[in-house]
Amino acid sequence: STACVRVCVCVCMLLAAAIPLGLSLSPPATSASALSTRDACLLFGALAEPLVHLDPEVGACCHSACSDCEWRLPDGGYRFDVLKATKPKWVPCYLRRDFGDERGCHEPRWASALFPGGGEVTRAQFGEALAGLGFEMPMGPRGSVGADGGMPESAADALWAWLAGDGDALTPEGARTRLQAMAEDPQAEGAVGEGPDHLVWKEFAKALGAKPFEMIV
């Protein structure tokens, strides 16, 4: 019929217009480099800590979510100086925070272990240091993982690719910037205006292409 002919002509015209522009008409392919949830957990458990330093200007707080707390924010949240957990929960996204008082100075494990001299490292140095970090089952992943087999090379490759891309070396500052890019809101100012302060499991896993809610068996 005339209507069918018109539809076919329109489809052909759309196809002809798409090809010169380099547009793909097929569904996006699934990334072959996506990391398994287990391997992402091994990485997170090596980098995460049960402690993060946030805002040094916050004074004594009982951390009991009091409605009249002087550190309460307009949106109902709170400003905190230090957060603590019973198990590794956060990957700190700073290199060092010194409160200059009894709360002390915090240098994340990943910063001191992966960059022991404070300068850039090669891929080989990075892999060796990462393997030496050890593993503790962190908060966030579902299931349980043993680290008897050590850190898989594929996991180290995935983390290096995120942090350094195709580069031959990585600096502490570069690693911090790329970790902050994993955050749900990478533009957030953080507690002291230096960008996101830390990562939780969901953010870390999703950035590396893993499934954060998948059960690890």
Side-chain angles (χ1 to χ4, degrees):
S1 65
T2 302
C4 290
V5 171
R6 288 176 177 171
V7 170
C8 290
V9 170
C10 289
V11 170
C12 290
M13 291 176 65
L14 288 172
L15 289 171
I19 292 173
L21 293 174
L23 302 177
S24 173
L25 299 175
S26 58
T30 301
S31 173
S33 61
L35 195 64
S36 72
T37 304
R38 183 183 186 280
D39 284 358
C41 178
L42 288 173
L43 287 171
F44 190 72
L47 303 178
E49 301 189 39
L51 171 77
V52 286
H53 274 42
L54 298 177
D55 188 347
E57 299 302 319
V58 173
C61 177
C62 66
H63 292 196
S64 298
C66 303
S67 60
D68 60 345
C69 179
E70 63 179 304
W71 310 115
R72 190 166 188 177
L73 299 171
D75 64 2
Y78 294 84
R79 291 171 61 194
F80 291 109
D81 56 347
V82 178
L83 290 179
K84 297 180 181 179
T86 57
K87 297 172 63 177
K89 182 178 180 180
W90 306 281
V91 175
C93 292
Y94 50 83
L95 300 178
R96 187 173 183 269
R97 283 197 179 163
D98 187 356
F99 280 11
D101 55 27
E102 68 279 0
R103 292 170 297 182
C105 174
H106 182 227
E107 183 177 3
R109 290 176 63 244
W110 68 262
S112 58
L114 300 181
F115 305 95
E120 68 177 28
V121 296
T122 64
R123 170 64 182 86
Q125 292 170 325
F126 176 87
E128 183 178 349
L130 181 63
L133 267 174
F135 171 83
E136 182 179 350
M137 187 64 197
M139 295 178 67
R142 300 180 61 200
S144 183
V145 175
D148 298 338
M151 182 67 66
E153 194 66 21
S154 58
D157 285 342
L159 183 58
W160 178 266
W162 175 271
L163 297 177
D166 296 328
D168 296 324
L170 178 65
T171 65
E173 294 77 15
R176 177 194 59 199
T177 298
R178 289 298 293 156
L179 285 174
Q180 290 179 323
M182 289 180 165
E184 193 168 77
D185 181 6
Q187 303 303 318
E189 291 187 358
V192 294
E194 296 177 350
D197 299 296
H198 56 73
L199 301 170
V200 294
W201 161 246
K202 178 183 175 182
E203 297 168 312
F204 184 85
K206 289 180 68 175
L208 294 177
K211 300 175 180 178
F213 305 115
E214 181 178 73
M215 179 65 73
I216 303 171
V217 294

